[in-house]
Amino acid sequence: MSAVCFLEVLLFLVIGKYIFDYLFYPRVSLEEEILAHNNAALAASFSGFLGGLGLMLKATVSLSLPALLYIFLGIGLLLFSLKVLDIIFLPKVDLGKEILQNYNLAAGIIEGSFGITSGLVLYGALCGEELPLKETLLEVSIYWTLGQILAIIAGIILCAVLKLDFQKEIKRQNTAVAIAVGGVFIAAGNVVRYAISGPTLPSFFTDIKFTFIDFALAFGIFILAVLIFDFLLFKKFKFSDELKEPNLSVGIMLALLAITLSLIW
């Protein structure tokens, strides 16, 4: 990346900060909450948003089409993805209240990890073959939606396998569960990024089909790895019980296992 592109990314990260501050959490001052009140939950959420924004910006600076349009589209989709997480995956949890009033770090970790997930998907969508503006906007929107769906499915399956009531654990401020599921979100986003940024296939629907196949295979291997670790390598302990403790070591291990497998996929 050239120095000019780097400065452009830095500029929009600064703009992104103010958009996040005034549109997503308009009731509070980001600086005051993080620096004066030591709100680690909000810091985790904001850092994930910046991470996702940075990934998306890396793709847009190389486009010959109007990059500014994609940048603001990406920022809008990143912010909307956090609302999707709240409404669809955590309907019984008010993430805003948990982060701002309860300083719930688990809620901040989940929100931040989902921001990175969306950034990975947007990066993959924008790094594909460059198409006319209308077609590119359509593909970005469809792939973004696909990424949200697959990430949420991954989280639901992991919680089902480990017999976790995810919403209850987040309300309990269980950071171990949040780290594990957040890692799975990021891994799912990375698998989708890899699938959609590869060689262009004969048709758009064929591309989507192979994205689903890639995701199913990668996530199936991850679940198999979890079961191997749970029943063969750590026979004296059960991951589900340890996560409920909460045992941060298990949460970190599962998150890194998922991300590592997604990177070598």
Side-chain angles (χ1 to χ4, degrees):
M1 183 184 291
S2 68
V4 174
C5 290
F6 181 82
L7 290 173
E8 184 179 341
V9 169
L10 185 60
L11 171 63
F12 280 102
L13 284 175
V14 172
I15 293 173
K17 179 265 179 190
Y18 288 102
I19 291 175
F20 182 90
D21 200 357
Y22 292 112
L23 292 184
F24 201 69
Y25 284 119
R27 294 173 293 168
V28 299
S29 165
L30 196 64
E31 291 90 342
E32 185 175 337
E33 279 294 316
I34 293 176
L35 301 177
H37 297 164
N38 194 25
N39 189 337
L42 183 58
S45 173
F46 174 60
S47 298
F49 169 77
L50 281 187
L53 179 58
L55 287 164
M56 185 270 297
L57 289 171
K58 180 175 170 57
T60 58
V61 294
S62 62
L63 292 171
S64 60
L65 292 170
L68 193 63
L69 174 63
Y70 293 120
I71 288 169
F72 285 106
L73 172 66
I75 290 174
L77 290 177
L78 280 171
L79 291 172
F80 188 55
S81 71
L82 303 183
K83 291 296 183 184
V84 169
L85 173 71
D86 201 357
I87 295 169
I88 296 178
F89 193 59
L90 293 164
K92 297 178 182 178
V93 179
D94 185 342
L95 284 177
K97 178 181 177 181
E98 291 297 325
I99 289 171
L100 295 179
Q101 296 182 23
N102 300 336
Y103 289 17
N104 186 338
L105 181 56
I109 289 171
I110 281 297
E111 202 167 79
S113 64
F114 211 68
I116 294 173
T117 300
S118 290
L120 284 165
V121 174
L122 289 170
Y123 175 83
L126 291 167
C127 279
E129 181 180 342
E130 199 164 312
L131 299 170
L133 177 60
K134 185 177 179 180
E135 292 180 38
T136 302
L137 291 174
L138 178 63
E139 285 204 5
V140 168
S141 300
I142 291 175
Y143 281 132
W144 173 84
T145 303
L146 180 64
Q148 311 305 298
I149 293 171
L150 293 181
I152 288 174
I153 288 174
I156 291 172
I157 293 175
L158 178 68
C159 290
V161 169
L162 296 178
K163 299 177 181 177
L164 296 170
D165 184 340
F166 185 68
Q167 298 190 80
K168 177 181 176 182
E169 296 303 326
I170 292 300
K171 285 185 177 180
R172 288 181 56 223
Q173 304 197 21
N174 189 329
T175 52
V177 170
I179 290 170
V181 176
V184 168
F185 282 163
I186 293 171
N190 197 42
V191 170
V192 174
R193 175 201 62 80
Y194 169 78
I196 65 181
S197 62
T200 303
L201 296 173
S203 77
F204 181 56
F205 292 105
T206 304
D207 208 7
I208 291 179
K209 181 178 76 173
F210 277 96
T211 299
F212 271 107
I213 292 172
D214 255 0
F215 169 79
L217 290 173
F219 193 66
I221 291 172
F222 167 68
I223 293 298
L224 178 62
V226 169
L227 295 176
I228 290 172
F229 272 68
D230 201 4
F231 291 102
L232 297 179
L233 301 182
F234 296 89
K235 292 183 287 186
K236 293 183 179 180
F237 304 94
K238 292 298 177 187
F239 282 175
S240 56
D241 294 337
E242 293 301 313
L243 285 170
K244 291 174 185 175
E245 283 295 326
N247 188 331
L248 282 177
S249 303
V250 175
I252 292 169
M253 183 171 64
L254 287 176
L256 292 179
L257 176 63
I259 293 171
T260 300
L261 290 174
S262 77
L263 290 172
I264 63 178
W265 180 246

